[in-house]
């Protein structure tokens, strides 16, 4: 199969829907047969695989949420034997355990195909040097993008995140022409370029493909201006595959084409969960159509977006989704890492002398996100020696870092100083202006 699939991305809707329906039917049948938790939920809802006869019937199927992943941690929703799994990745769960996803060899190929397609939408070709500053590891960004670049036949520089000065030397010396990074890291690179007195003329950068965290139009303009590039949006999430679920094309000034032959999108009302028509904003829900190891049915992403009904100037018929404008839950993305306040709470409740009253303050200094955790301690601890308090601070910092992979500063505060809620506690103060 040709990874760009020009034929598929320009198919008339009826042709695309025929492919989607045939894939959906097979998927539902397979999942029903192989995965007990799916079967049980479908039985409870009184749905059998044969009830899926049209794309409209999708709405009969139960939703899947992060709780389902947690309840079946780590591998309980996989449809294949572990010996057929060739890779796992993980992202943040809502408490102590991560969300684990698995891939067969065919899934890795599908992923490389969709990522290669995404890159091609940004005009990347075999001649490009692709500077991949998404983190390599359990996060899907680094490796997901990496194999897409190789599939396309361009050159990948697997630089990963961090060590920013060295990244700039590499950009200059290797002639990086495409930048893959979170938008905030792109700004960090831009500032370092400025600090080092490197001229944009000494760089070959042409286009950036940024995602994994929310970013505004203003931020896009800043990235474009400071790096002298065109900055495009890419969307994805581990539970669906990783990066490569939707991608902005060069011709579109907003919105990302959803790769609908692989990932079926819906927008639902975040309160009633009723599907909403094209054009209305709500929670984005995805069903994977081609994944083997870990297919997912009606996954509630908690991301807010809308599907754009108008066709794109590029002529591709794949529907576009609007830039993500928010979330329906309290997940924060700090330096590209997904953080749930409940994870911080999980750390705190495990430590003696610490009260379950806390607040998380997020700020942006330059292009860097910082996280400060304010924690109430008990009377007895608060009157302890400075040394004891210092040790407690360090322990909280270490445990938060171990669990979340993000460093934070910790401020211990006197008992009863954090404002008590009269309803939903305000756990997070996010001062970032995106
Ligand atoms: O962030 C996958 C990815 C890697 C996407 C590299 C793009 C580039 P997770 O770590 O599972 O996967 O986080 C998924 O990140 O539900 C959104 O809330 C957020 N997110 C991802 N892309 C965008 C974007 C990767 N373009 C979560 N704009 C998602 C806004 C985004 N938010």
């Amino acid at each position: 199969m040709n990874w760009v699939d020009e034929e598929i991305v320009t198919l008339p809707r009826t042709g695309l829907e025929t492919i989607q329906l045939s894939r959906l039917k097979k998927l539902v049948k397979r999942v029903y047969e192989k995965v007990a938790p799916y079967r049980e939920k479908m039985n409870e809802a009184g749905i059998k695989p044969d009830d899926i006869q049209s794309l409209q019937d999708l709405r009969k199927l139960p939703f899947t949420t992060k709780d389902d992943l947690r309840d079946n941690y780590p591998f309980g929703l996989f449809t294949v034997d572990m010996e057929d799994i060739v890779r796992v990745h993980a992202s943040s769960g809502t408490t102590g355990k991560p969300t684990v996803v698995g891939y067969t060899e065919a899934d890795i190929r599908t992923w490389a195909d969709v990522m290669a397609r995404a890159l091609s939408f940004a005009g990347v070709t075999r001649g490009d040097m692709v500077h991949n500053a998404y983190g390599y590891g359990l996060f899907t960004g680094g490796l997901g993008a990496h194999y897409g670049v190789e599939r396309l036949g361009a050159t990948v520089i697997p630089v990963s995140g961090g060590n920013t000065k060295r990244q700039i030397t590499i950009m200059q010396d290797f002639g990086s022409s495409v930048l893959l990074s979170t938008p905030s890291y792109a700004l960090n690179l831009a500032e370092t370029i400025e600090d080092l007195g490197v001229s944009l003329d000494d760089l070959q950068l042409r286009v950036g493909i940024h995602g994994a965290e929310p970013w505004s139009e203003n931020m896009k303009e800043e990235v474009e201006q400071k790096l002298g590039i065109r900055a495009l949006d890419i969307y994805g999430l581990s539970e669906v595959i990783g990066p490569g679920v939707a991608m902005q094309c060069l011709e579109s000034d907003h919105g990302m084409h959803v790769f609908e032959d692989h990932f079926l999108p819906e927008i639902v009302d975040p309160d009633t969960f009723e599907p909403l028509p094209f054009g209305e904003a709500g929670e984005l829900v995805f069903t994977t159509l081609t994944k083997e190891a870990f297919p997912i049915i009606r996954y509630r992403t908690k991301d807010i977006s809308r599907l754009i009904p108008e066709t794109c100037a590029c002529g591709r018929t794949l529907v576009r989704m609007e830039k993500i404008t928010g979330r329906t839950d309290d997940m924060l993305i700090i330096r590209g890492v997904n953080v749930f306040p409940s994870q911080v709470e999980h750390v705190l409740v495990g430590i003696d002398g610490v009260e379950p009253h806390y607040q998380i303050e997020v700020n942006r200094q330059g292009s860097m996100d910082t996280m400060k955790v304010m924690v109430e301690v008990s009377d007895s601890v608060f009157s302890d020696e400075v040394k004891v308090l210092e040790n407690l601070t360090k322990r909280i910092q270490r445990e938060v870092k171990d669990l979340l992979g993000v460093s934070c500063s910790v401020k211990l505060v006197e008992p009863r100083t954090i404002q008590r809620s009269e309803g939903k506690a305000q756990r997070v103060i996010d001062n970032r202006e995106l």
Side-chain angles (χ1 to χ4, degrees):
M1 187 177 69
N2 166 9
W3 39 259
V4 179
D5 310 322
E6 271 310 327
E7 211 179 302
I8 287 211
V9 302
T10 52
L11 265 183
R13 196 120 283 270
T14 46
L16 179 65
E17 287 180 353
T18 307
I19 295 175
Q20 288 176 323
L21 180 59
S22 122
R23 290 179 173 175
L24 179 67
K25 283 181 172 175
K26 279 193 208 131
L27 162 86
V28 174
K29 194 160 177 292
R30 195 159 62 84
V31 163
Y32 186 85
E33 280 165 7
K34 305 259 184 190
V35 191
Y38 270 116
R39 187 163 54 246
E40 284 155 19
K41 274 176 88 167
M42 282 173 62
N43 285 342
E44 262 169 46
I47 304 295
K48 291 276 177 290
D50 281 346
D51 294 331
I52 305 301
Q53 292 302 330
S54 75
L55 286 177
Q56 298 306 316
D57 292 335
L58 177 67
R59 61 179 64 188
K60 295 180 179 163
L61 293 165
F63 291 105
T64 308
T65 64
K66 241 190 207 298
D67 287 345
D68 294 304
L69 272 76
R70 191 189 55 210
D71 294 345
N72 295 289
Y73 173 84
F75 309 134
L77 294 180
F78 292 3
T79 62
V80 297
D81 293 337
M82 281 313 283
E83 60 186 46
D84 292 323
I85 299 281
V86 301
R87 191 175 332 147
V88 290
H89 280 283
S91 72
S92 295
T94 47
T95 53
K97 301 274 194 211
T99 295
V100 184
V101 297
Y103 305 78
T104 62
E105 212 180 323
D107 290 331
I108 297 285
R109 245 178 286 132
T110 305
W111 194 8
D113 285 341
V114 288
M115 251 324 290
R117 186 195 281 177
L119 292 157
S120 77
F121 279 24
V124 181
T125 64
R126 292 172 62 88
D128 275 304
M129 287 296 263
V130 183
H131 191 99
N132 185 14
Y134 285 119
Y136 280 65
L138 284 176
F139 175 53
T140 51
L143 285 165
H146 180 103
Y147 285 96
V149 180
E150 289 191 351
R151 171 60 46 89
L152 189 71
T155 308
V156 61
I157 311 172
V159 63
S160 196
N163 215 335
T164 308
K165 281 189 187 158
R166 192 183 60 158
Q167 297 227 6
I168 298 186
T169 310
I170 287 175
M171 275 184 184
Q172 284 177 289
D173 296 350
F174 297 9
S176 308
S177 54
V178 179
L179 172 62
L180 310 186
S181 74
T182 59
S184 55
Y185 194 62
L187 280 184
N188 190 343
L189 284 164
E191 278 160 16
T192 313
I193 288 170
E194 212 177 304
D195 291 348
L196 293 174
V198 173
S199 155
L200 290 182
D201 294 340
D202 293 335
L203 301 175
Q204 313 284 320
L205 284 182
R206 179 181 85 245
V207 65
I209 301 177
H210 310 293
E213 63 185 7
W215 55 316
S216 59
E217 280 299 315
N218 287 348
M219 197 159 160
K220 181 193 109 154
E221 277 163 27
E222 210 177 322
V223 172
E224 292 195 327
Q225 187 236 323
K226 289 194 165 160
L227 285 174
I229 60 174
R230 180 75 199 279
L232 300 173
D233 203 352
I234 184 167
Y235 173 82
L237 63 166
S238 322
E239 292 86 340
V240 172
I241 202 160
V245 174
M247 173 73 200
Q248 184 183 359
C249 66
L250 278 172
E251 291 83 354
S252 161
D253 54 5
H254 72 130
M256 298 166 266
H257 289 282
V258 178
F259 295 167
E260 291 176 275
D261 46 333
H262 296 279
F263 315 111
L264 194 57
E266 293 172 87
I267 296 282
V268 301
D269 182 307
D271 298 319
T272 63
F273 309 127
E274 283 301 313
L276 294 173
F278 266 35
E280 281 190 38
E283 181 177 343
L284 195 51
V285 169
F286 278 106
T287 299
T288 61
L289 295 174
T290 50
K291 266 172 69 193
E292 279 187 354
F294 180 60
I296 202 154
I297 292 181
R298 302 195 84 198
Y299 184 65
R300 287 189 38 212
T301 64
K302 311 265 175 128
D303 289 319
I304 305 279
S305 180
R306 81 186 175 97
L307 297 175
I308 303 171
E310 296 83 33
T311 46
C312 182
C314 70
R316 298 180 184 102
T317 49
L318 296 177
V319 72
R320 281 174 299 159
M321 58 178 258
E322 195 68 80
K323 223 177 200 354
I324 302 291
T325 52
R327 287 190 54 91
T328 63
D329 66 1
D330 52 4
M331 187 179 92
L332 298 159
I333 306 187
I334 297 174
R335 275 173 262 139
V337 180
N338 303 351
V339 172
F340 289 94
S342 49
Q343 292 175 298
V344 174
E345 186 167 312
H346 184 81
V347 166
L348 299 178
V349 293
I351 300 179
D352 279 345
V354 167
E355 301 288 322
H357 300 294
Y358 65 95
Q359 216 159 32
I360 299 169
E361 191 182 293
V362 190
N363 287 295
R364 179 159 282 171
Q365 286 171 348
S367 59
M368 281 292 273
D369 297 333
T370 58
M371 175 164 86
K372 180 157 120 191
V373 183
M374 277 157 303
V375 191
E376 263 185 37
V377 288
S378 60
D379 281 312
S380 59
V381 170
F382 201 74
S383 47
D384 258 325
E385 309 161 28
V386 175
K387 189 95 197 115
V388 174
L389 294 174
E390 268 177 12
N391 284 342
L392 189 57
T393 305
K394 283 196 191 127
R395 176 164 171 209
I396 297 171
Q397 274 175 328
R398 194 179 55 241
E399 293 199 14
V400 167
K401 169 92 196 196
D402 284 351
L403 182 65
L404 275 66
V406 167
S407 42
C408 65
S409 61
V410 169
K411 185 171 175 209
L412 302 180
V413 297
E414 276 180 65
R416 288 169 298 281
T417 39
I418 290 182
Q419 201 186 0
R420 298 297 185 260
S421 74
E422 291 168 357
K424 211 169 147 59
Q426 201 200 351
R427 297 289 188 212
V428 178
I429 303 169
D430 195 339
N431 295 322
R432 290 174 297 184
E433 272 183 34
L434 292 176

